[in-house]
Amino acid sequence: MGRIAILSQTVSDQIAAGEVVERPASVVKELVENALDAGATSVSVELEDGGRELILVADDGEGMDREDALLAAERHATSKVRMATDLIGVPTYGFRGEALASIAAVSRFELETAKPNSDTGVRVEIRGGRREAAIDAPRTRGTTVTVRKLFANTPARRKFLRSARSETRASVEAVTLLALTRLDVAFTLRSDGRKLLDAPRVASAAERLAALYGRKLVDQLLPVDHHDGYLSVRGFVQRPADARASGRRAHFFVNGRPFRDPFLVRAAEAGYRATIAPGARPSVFLSIELPGDRVDVNVHPSKHEVRFRDKMIVERAVTEAVRRALQPLAAAAVVEQGGVAIGPHGPTGPGIPTHDAVRTGQAVEGQLISGSLFGDDGSRQQAVGEPQELVQVFQTYIVFATHDGLVIVDQHSAHERILYEQAMRELQGTAAAGQRLLLPLTLDLQADELEAVERHNDLLSRVGFEVEPFGGRSVVVHAVPNPHPRFDARRCLEELIADLAGSRFGGLSNRLERFAATYGCRAAVKAGHILERSEMRELLRRLFACELPPHDVHGRPTIVQLPKRELERRFGRV
Ligand code: ADP
Ligand code: MG
């Protein structure tokens, strides 16, 4: 007998199934996508035992007639592509025509479907890839696909499944991502009888995000809306101050489809530079729109990944989009008016949109290929109002009223942000001239400190410290910066040098940023400094002239708002 045999159809189907059907979540994803392609307005998913026992997806889409139902689970049966050239820019989720065949090859598969306005539908049953029955079934429009005993006939694959809980979680994730792309469709998911996901049809992305992730996360999001050349980046990013080290969600969509790309996650994080604590991982939901010929969505069998024609441009746009979302939209106007930017939907400091901006800013119908999930944001902020009376409280905060509420600025954080940005400019561009001292300072340093001064002396001099070795472990300081009148140059320099020598400064990826942040922190006015009115005014003016006023370099807010409406609510006026 020869050694070569042609694989039976069943075996080759099972092998091919491995490509599309890795685990229950991939089945869920394919079936839900089919439902969306069929124009469903409501999709419900049921799981048992993480999908091993049962995966059921029911929709109210256009259904299939008997002939199509019989064809649907045949390999390469698809109603969506007639020619290979169609593959460019196919406006549907599925188009390979192999999902149903693959799933049917590795399960007990049942498809029940009916066209609209027909009182009978058809039920097709397939076991291990072989059709067993096709009988009339009474039902109304739509399709229900039932997948039982997934991988029962492929034990090797079944062995790779994880716990029911983590398989369930993966399915929830798959439906969640699709739910983010289609606001006009209602989604539910039940697992062993428990409802894990319930997303009714909504008009705004913020409402959908709230249904999927909870109101708390939505309240922490800032809208993103950036256009650059042929592409646009829209969506939401988490406020830097709310970013935590764990539990983040980072989701990207291109032309309405979810995809994964670790480089884009990093590009988004780059947009947060110097606004979040090291190790903080902000949540981001970003939808990229570009012409179909600039992206290939067919590189991955289950379409998890895409290939951009120009990756660099996309990455840069994502970074820029995030950076701008964190930036006050009206900083320039604010400076001119000496006022504070207040959003139309409640007072939000410059660049600190509250949840209102997110909640009311979005009124977009979900569309199939849209990324319209993240529609135009109507919450552009306008600079209005002018702080009348500035008050310093607890020798730490500057408080003032605008016509929409109270604004509270942390003087230290604010000054830190100002000095950080100034130092970055000085480190990269024109060095600051320090103020020459009539009586130079002498510092006695530890050996590692002396070494740190030598290593970083170029940076010290750029921000205005002129430091010279003076024999032994002493250095003499001829000039110092003068960031504010009560600046204690000796103390600042000592602290700065100690930081530079300490482990905190070690192993940094970006020496300039770290230095600027350290300098900003050490040189800034402290809590406890009494400020003159003119100083407060100057501090605010310079804060709002910053690129990123609302955040200090550790990711804490510099500005806190107390909306007038909140006061009215608390006093029972509304
Ligand atoms: P693809 O989605 O790539 O076309 P599938 O194997 O997923 O391939 O589906 C095969 C065909 O079966 C689809 O093209 C579609 O015509 C039909 N079909 C599958 N699921 C549904 C559904 N829920 N409602 C209506 N038609 C469906
Ligand atoms: Mg499909």
Side-chain angles (χ1 to χ4, degrees):
M1 200 171 115
R3 294 172 134 284
I4 299 175
I6 304 292
L7 292 176
S8 76
Q9 185 62 38
T10 312
V11 172
S12 79
D13 280 354
Q14 286 174 0
I15 292 169
E19 274 203 350
V20 186
V21 190
E22 274 173 279
R23 58 194 300 193
S26 17
V27 174
V28 169
K29 173 178 174 286
E30 293 292 339
L31 297 181
V32 173
E33 287 183 349
N34 281 350
L36 296 175
D37 283 345
T41 62
S42 169
V43 181
S44 64
V45 180
E46 268 174 57
L47 304 176
E48 278 171 26
D49 190 25
R52 259 181 272 230
E53 258 332 287
L54 169 82
I55 299 168
L56 181 152
V57 176
D59 68 58
D60 62 352
E62 67 188 13
M64 287 170 266
D65 59 22
R66 191 182 180 88
E67 192 193 347
D68 280 350
L70 288 171
L71 271 177
E74 302 280 322
R75 182 150 304 277
H76 306 304
T78 174
S79 55
K80 298 163 196 170
V81 182
R82 295 275 176 245
M83 289 192 297
T85 46
D86 278 0
L87 281 175
I88 302 155
V90 186
T92 54
Y93 292 98
F95 47 77
R96 292 163 173 266
E98 60 189 15
L100 292 189
S102 300
I103 295 164
V106 290
S107 69
R108 278 171 46 193
F109 179 94
E110 198 182 293
L111 172 111
E112 204 183 88
T113 185
K115 297 297 280 180
N117 310 323
S118 66
D119 42 2
T120 40
V122 60
R123 186 160 82 229
V124 178
E125 288 176 22
I126 302 176
R127 295 272 151 94
R130 287 203 6 249
R131 192 161 79 220
E132 305 242 306
I135 47 173
D136 283 351
R139 72 164 285 147
T140 51
R141 69 172 295 165
T143 302
T144 302
V145 175
T146 312
V147 175
R148 285 180 218 276
K149 307 278 180 205
L150 185 64
F151 300 141
N153 60 351
T154 51
R157 206 150 262 289
R158 194 173 171 90
K159 234 175 42 205
F160 276 105
L161 292 183
R162 310 231 230 127
S163 69
R165 255 181 72 198
S166 72
E167 293 300 341
T168 304
R169 205 179 314 126
S171 286
V172 172
E173 180 82 357
V175 178
T176 299
L177 285 182
L178 289 168
L180 283 171
T181 68
R182 292 295 304 272
L183 310 179
D184 57 337
V185 177
F187 297 84
T188 59
L189 185 149
R190 283 171 187 283
S191 164
D192 297 326
R194 277 182 50 221
K195 197 177 254 188
L196 298 185
L197 185 150
D198 186 7
R201 281 184 283 275
V202 287
S204 78
E207 286 171 80
R208 180 53 59 88
L209 285 165
L212 297 171
Y213 298 112
R215 173 61 60 193
K216 183 159 171 256
L217 178 65
V218 173
D219 286 349
Q220 301 176 346
L221 299 178
L222 304 172
V224 173
D225 190 0
H226 177 61
H227 300 259
D228 185 7
Y230 62 76
L231 59 79
S232 73
V233 182
R234 296 192 295 190
F236 298 96
V237 293
Q238 194 174 24
R239 272 194 312 236
D242 293 315
R244 297 285 170 265
S246 62
R248 75 104 139 268
R249 313 191 180 264
H251 295 306
F252 286 86
F253 305 83
V254 61
N255 294 349
R257 292 167 195 271
F259 72 103
R260 288 189 211 133
D261 187 339
F263 290 98
L264 284 191
V265 176
R266 238 174 286 153
E269 281 172 353
Y272 278 88
R273 263 155 57 118
T275 66
I276 48 176
R281 298 268 170 274
S283 288
V284 301
F285 302 90
L286 294 173
S287 170
I288 298 161
E289 295 263 342
L290 38 61
D293 62 346
R294 300 271 166 182
V295 58
D296 183 0
V297 296
N298 299 323
V299 292
H300 192 278
S302 50
K303 303 172 232 92
H304 286 317
E305 286 158 29
V306 301
R307 192 178 295 136
F308 292 107
R309 243 220 231 155
D310 197 339
K311 213 164 143 51
M312 286 298 287
I313 289 184
V314 178
E315 286 175 18
R316 234 179 294 134
V318 164
T319 302
E320 182 63 13
V322 172
R323 207 178 60 83
R324 282 177 186 230
L326 306 181
Q327 219 172 38
L329 294 160
V334 168
V335 179
E336 278 155 29
Q337 302 187 11
V340 167
I342 303 293
H345 305 299
T348 66
I352 353 173
T354 61
H355 48 275
D356 297 86
V358 177
R359 191 183 299 153
T360 50
Q362 309 284 320
V364 182
E365 297 300 318
Q367 291 162 17
L368 175 55
I369 294 303
S370 57
S372 66
L373 156 61
F374 305 118
D376 269 331
D377 164 43
S379 68
R380 287 276 124 135
Q381 313 213 351
Q382 294 147 15
V384 286
E386 168 134 349
Q388 298 118 14
E389 216 49 61
L390 297 176
V391 183
Q392 190 188 29
V393 299
F394 309 127
Q395 299 175 4
T396 301
Y397 308 106
I398 302 166
V399 181
F400 59 91
T402 68
H403 69 259
D404 264 340
L406 287 181
V407 181
I408 306 161
V409 175
D410 180 311
Q411 66 190 41
H412 173 70
S413 301
H415 201 206
E416 197 175 282
R417 164 54 57 184
I418 293 166
L419 292 178
Y420 166 80
E421 292 193 5
Q422 185 189 321
M424 280 306 281
R425 284 193 298 274
E426 290 163 357
L427 294 173
Q428 291 167 317
T430 24
Q435 195 171 42
R436 292 208 70 82
L437 298 171
L438 285 177
L439 302 172
L441 300 171
T442 318
L443 304 184
D444 296 317
L445 302 175
Q446 308 291 329
D448 58 338
E449 292 177 329
L450 185 65
E451 197 256 331
V453 170
E454 279 160 4
R455 207 152 21 100
H456 299 291
N457 209 357
D458 55 332
L459 304 186
L460 287 167
S461 74
R462 290 192 83 84
V463 298
F465 285 110
E466 224 175 85
V467 184
E468 225 176 56
F470 193 60
R473 286 198 198 150
S474 303
V475 292
V476 59
V477 184
H478 295 290
V480 299
N482 186 25
H484 59 92
R486 276 178 259 3
F487 181 61
D488 182 342
R490 171 186 287 277
R491 182 166 162 205
C492 173
L493 187 56
E494 280 172 353
E495 289 174 348
L496 190 54
I497 291 171
D499 287 345
L500 295 178
S503 57
R504 278 191 52 196
F505 211 77
L508 35 125
S509 49
N510 191 331
R511 180 167 164 256
L512 295 191
E513 271 175 26
R514 211 45 100 76
F515 181 88
T518 308
Y519 168 75
C521 179
R522 296 304 176 190
V525 291
K526 307 254 181 310
H529 277 156
I530 297 170
L531 300 181
E532 307 276 335
R533 247 192 87 170
S534 59
E535 290 172 335
M536 291 192 254
R537 221 167 245 299
E538 178 64 9
L539 189 73
L540 293 181
R541 191 190 64 74
R542 291 179 57 196
L543 176 64
F544 294 130
C546 280
E547 238 186 295
L548 294 168
H551 322 284
D552 78 359
V553 293
H554 310 293
R556 290 185 304 242
T558 58
I559 305 167
V560 164
Q561 306 258 335
L562 187 52
K564 187 172 166 209
R565 270 190 329 195
E566 173 69 12
L567 287 175
E568 287 168 344
R569 197 182 59 74
R570 293 226 201 160
F571 285 112
R573 284 178 178 273
V574 284

